[in-house]
Amino acid sequence: MLKGKTIVLGITGGIAAYKAAEIASKLTQAGARVEVVMTDAATKFITSLTLRNITGRPVVTDMFEPASEWSVEHIALSEAADAVLVAPATANTIAKFATGIADNMLTSVVLATKAPVIIACAMNDNMYSNPVTQENIEKLKDRGFKIIEPAYGRLASGKMGKGRLAELEVIIAKVDEVLGGRGDFKSKRIVVTAGGTQEPLDPVRHISNRSSGKMGYAMAEAARDRGADVTLIAAPTSLPDPAGMTVVHVRTAVQMKQAVDKAVKKADALIMAAAVADYQPKTAAKGKIKKESKDSLTLELVRTPDILGEVKGNFVKVGFAAESENTVANAKAKLAKKNLDLIVANDITDPQSGFDVDTNKVTLLDRSGKVEALPLMSKRQVAEQILDRVGKLVGKVD
Ligand code: C5P
């Protein structure tokens, strides 16, 4: 959907400005005409020459520059745009958008345009979490701006926090979606599970696992961005609820089973990325278990229901297999045992793959016996790859 579209790419002055070059490149390669507008501060981080070479178009940096093909430039640009993407957007520029300040070309274009505006935030984590920035973002959301939240990761300050520019493919997918997008999952109902279940021992303790929920959340967001009607069934994670989908919070495997059984009634696909506990305490103590004088404590655990193995209905079933050895063989066995259409196997001993990281290296195995080892990629990219396959399978079951 990017082909032939005019996208105004606004770049503001943050360290992530250099990433805008790659965004401009991807959009241009996809067939869009990219008109870059840079704030003064942005030009300190990346040169307009780089952007001009990438887009093959003149780059606007100064509101009062005399010659370029746009007549009254900010008006002409704002009218020509099919979408305006601001990436990275700093707290300062976001504040200007929220209050209607138009003191440079970018803020003027955004104030004048009727096209959808997508804002990919990137800034210091304290600036992002500051209530004034959050209020500004809420204001913009209320006015229909599409906000791409920053990602969690290493910031320019050297510390970890939420402030990094979202991944490239997330940004491109959003632009695509806003422009009418891939939409290949339009009117499809997808149920995704995520996170690690917690099985209580008593009111204060539980048995759980290291799942961060990132893979499942990326799955749900990718399906949403491709037009699906998504239900995300989430075991506890530290991630915020994604917008634009139904989120059902559960704690235990039994609760997850109830939620899944209910949600799949109308589903086209169930994608179980959750790490479901295999065992739960036979009984959860009503009061806090006391230390007493015992040197050891024996817990009796019983099996949890195999949600994916037991679920019934005519929809595509996708499972995940986190393995520490014989990954492919074990995944193959699970695919057959649980009667799955597709299984996503990952070797959790690889530090860049699996728990808590933003990347994953998986092998996809399907019912027909096809085995595809994918290279290391972001969890979002893995999600897109899975959806490409699920899309074909959903087509068949229609
Ligand atoms: O057998 P294993 O637990 O490795 O299978 C993993 C797959 O099965 C995952 O997709 C997981 O969400 C699902 N599962 C389940 N119910 C369980 C255990 C795992 O649905 N009790």
Side-chain angles (χ1 to χ4, degrees), residues 75-244:
I75 303 299
L77 269 177
S78 63
E79 282 175 356
D82 291 303
V84 178
L85 166 66
V86 186
T90 56
N92 178 52
T93 292
I94 287 170
K96 288 183 187 176
F97 291 158
T99 44
I101 291 173
D103 63 347
N104 60 30
M105 184 57 99
L106 179 60
T107 47
S108 302
V109 169
V110 168
L111 192 61
T113 195
K114 292 250 185 313
V117 182
I118 305 150
I119 294 180
C121 311
M123 64 197 75
N124 166 273
D125 58 339
N126 289 336
M127 286 171 113
Y128 179 70
S129 61
N130 191 309
V132 75
T133 303
Q134 288 300 316
E135 257 172 48
N136 288 333
I137 289 174
E138 283 311 310
K139 247 192 226 169
L140 292 176
K141 273 189 198 164
D142 288 346
R143 291 193 202 128
F145 285 63
K146 315 281 178 219
I147 307 291
I148 305 175
E149 288 190 17
Y152 180 87
R154 193 177 168 278
L155 304 174
S157 61
K159 66 172 184 162
M160 301 294 286
K162 190 173 177 182
R164 280 169 70 92
L165 186 69
E167 285 184 62
L168 212 70
E169 60 272 17
V170 174
I171 296 172
I172 305 287
K174 192 75 196 171
V175 178
D176 208 17
E177 181 208 331
V178 166
L179 289 171
R182 299 172 69 176
D184 54 346
F185 276 77
K186 221 171 196 89
S187 77
K188 297 286 178 229
R189 281 187 265 241
I190 309 291
V191 179
V192 179
T193 67
T197 65
Q198 295 179 352
E199 310 301 331
L201 289 161
D202 69 15
V204 289
R205 305 179 180 100
H206 60 247
I207 297 174
S208 192
N209 57 67
R210 288 181 53 206
S211 170
S212 64
K214 284 182 178 172
M215 188 61 237
Y217 275 56
M219 230 19 276
E221 287 170 354
R224 174 202 60 197
D225 292 345
R226 287 167 72 158
D229 179 347
V230 179
T231 300
L232 171 63
I233 299 172
T237 72
S238 57
L239 303 170
D241 282 4

Side-chain angles (χ1 to χ4, degrees), residues 18 61 184 228 321 324:
Y18 75 94
T61 51
D184 54 346
S324 51

